């Protein structure tokens, strides 16, 4: 039994590099003992939490991982979050995010939470805050704020978001429609390779760099994408270039696959894998 969820994984992953550097804001249910268990597990890992308790249950996911690598997830339904609890957490967060160096908005919304919540948080972050969005369902209003600095999604999610089938065309649509000058679009493609799209503040051209990733014998791939988002934001906040940050994030994601617990990895493994990430010559769209 371990902690899951995109935001929780993001906090756990960055904690592997800098203990206590990240906090997670989330809803937890008082019904049953799942919410209390999640709180205690995260606390034991040194994760600071901003929790809004609600009267419902915290959903659980049962994952069946076969020796062949095939994975099946059985996800239980989640109770709707009452409006009063939603307002209480968001009203607190709009103040918190103003002073954060980096903020990650992760995943889909639980029942009872509307898309406007992410958009409101995006508009509330400080002017120097790096805002990363890891999500594709119901994020149009958030992207329309033009405040997202980093959009990290996988290739299929990018195609769904834009309605384009060809990946470069989808990236170009997303960058021109949603991303402000200087923003980056980080697109993962499983274990094969990944793409980093960036624009400039002077013209409409888009540069794309492909990263080839060393294959690893995965023990558990759950949380690898969240690890990538987490380490990408962490490295950008530390002042690394977008290319260096994404390469290290991909290495950390691969390292997390070597651990049975989602979003857990050894920093030494990430550093070793980073040395083998290959960057292809950039091209311009």
């Amino acid at each position: 039994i371990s902690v899951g969820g995109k935001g929780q994984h993001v906090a756990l992953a960055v904690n592997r590099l800098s203990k206590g550097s990240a906090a997670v804001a989330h809803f937890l249910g008082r019904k049953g003992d799942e919410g209390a268990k999640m709180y205690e597990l995260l606390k034991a890992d040194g994760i600071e939490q901003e929790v809004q308790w609600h009267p419902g249950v915290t959903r659980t996911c049962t994952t069946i991982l076969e020796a062949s690598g095939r994975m099946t997830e059985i996800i239980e339904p989640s109770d709707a979050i009452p409006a009063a609890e939603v307002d209480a957490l968001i009203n607190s967060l709009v103040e918190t995010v103003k002073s954060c160096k980096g903020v990650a908005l992760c995943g889909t919304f639980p029942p009872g939470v509307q898309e406007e919540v992410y958009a409101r948080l995006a508009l509330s972050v400080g002017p120097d805050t790096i805002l990363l969005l890891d999500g594709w369902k119901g994020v149009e209003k958030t992207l329309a704020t033009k405040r997202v600095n980093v959009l990290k999604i996988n290739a299929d999610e990018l195609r769904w978001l834009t309605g384009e089938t060809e990946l470069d065309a989808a990236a170009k649509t997303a960058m021109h429609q949603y991303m402000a000058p200087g923003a980056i679009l980080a697109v993962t493609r499983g274990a094969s390779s990944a793409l980093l799209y960036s624009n400039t503040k002077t013209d409409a051209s888009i540069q794309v760099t492909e990263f080839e990733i060393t294959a690893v014998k995965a023990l558990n791939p759950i949380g690898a994408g969240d690890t990538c988002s987490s380490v990408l934001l962490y490295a950008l906040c530390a002042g690394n270039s977008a290319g260096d940050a994404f390469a290290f994030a991909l290495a950390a994601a691969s390292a997390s696959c070597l651990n049975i617990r989602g979003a857990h990895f050894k920093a030494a493994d990430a550093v070793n894998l980073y040395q083998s990430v290959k960057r292809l010559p950039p091209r311009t769209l």
Side-chain angles (χ1 to χ4, degrees):
I1 298 175
S2 63
V3 171
K6 295 187 74 66
Q8 292 81 4
H9 277 161
V10 165
L12 285 167
V14 75
N15 203 49
R16 309 304 296 174
L17 297 174
S18 180
K19 197 172 183 66
S21 64
V24 61
H26 53 166
F27 298 100
L28 292 177
R30 293 191 182 280
K31 187 177 180 180
D33 60 0
E34 293 86 355
K37 283 183 177 179
M38 177 176 282
Y39 179 85
E40 292 300 328
L41 286 170
L42 287 169
K43 182 180 178 181
D45 268 316
I47 305 298
E48 183 180 341
Q49 303 173 67
E50 186 155 352
V51 179
Q52 185 62 48
W53 295 92
H54 66 90
V57 298
T58 298
R59 73 177 182 179
T60 60
C61 171
T62 302
T63 302
I64 303 170
L65 187 62
E66 301 178 32
S68 64
R70 187 174 68 171
M71 183 173 64
T72 302
E73 291 186 323
I74 304 171
I75 303 175
E76 296 182 5
S78 176
D79 288 339
I81 312 298
E85 275 71 23
V86 175
D87 291 342
L89 180 60
I90 302 310
N91 288 339
S92 174
L93 290 179
V94 294
E95 295 301 321
T96 301
V97 298
K98 291 178 181 178
S99 59
C100 292
K101 197 167 186 178
V103 172
L105 303 176
C106 307
T108 55
F109 320 103
V113 180
Q114 304 302 317
E115 180 184 353
E116 287 78 9
V117 164
Y118 271 8
R120 184 182 174 193
L121 291 174
L123 292 170
S124 300
V125 297
D128 298 321
T129 300
I130 299 176
L131 178 63
L132 179 145
L133 174 64
D134 183 346
W136 58 285
K137 283 186 178 180
V139 297
E140 289 83 0
K141 291 181 180 178
T142 306
L143 289 169
T145 66
K146 293 294 183 78
R147 186 56 188 84
V148 174
N149 304 107
V150 184
L151 175 61
K152 184 270 169 188
I153 50 179
N154 68 42
D156 289 337
E157 292 167 347
L158 177 61
R159 293 186 180 100
W160 187 95
L161 178 66
T162 62
E164 301 278 1
T165 55
E166 199 275 321
L167 202 55
D168 279 349
K172 198 169 185 178
T173 295
M175 293 292 286
H176 287 160
Q177 185 171 347
Y178 295 122
M179 311 298 285
I184 62 174
L185 169 63
V187 182
T188 54
R189 299 193 288 186
S192 58
S193 66
L195 299 166
L196 182 67
Y197 296 87
S198 59
N199 58 22
T200 68
K201 296 183 179 181
T202 57
D203 58 47
S205 64
I206 297 173
Q207 186 179 79
V208 54
T209 303
E210 183 173 358
F211 296 74
E212 293 183 346
I213 310 164
T214 301
V216 298
K217 189 175 181 180
L219 183 62
N220 177 17
I222 295 174
D226 306 327
T227 298
C228 182
S229 296
S230 175
V231 176
L232 174 58
L233 180 59
Y234 174 82
L236 289 171
C237 288
N240 293 278
S241 69
D244 288 345
F246 194 38
F248 188 54
L250 293 168
S254 294
S256 75
C257 295
L258 303 174
N259 196 302
I260 193 63
R261 294 181 64 189
H264 280 68
F265 62 93
K266 295 179 180 177
D269 288 339
V271 171
N272 290 335
L273 287 166
Y274 171 72
Q275 305 302 323
S276 64
V277 175
K278 182 180 179 181
R279 301 185 210 187
L280 303 186
R283 52 189 174 85
T284 302
L285 301 184

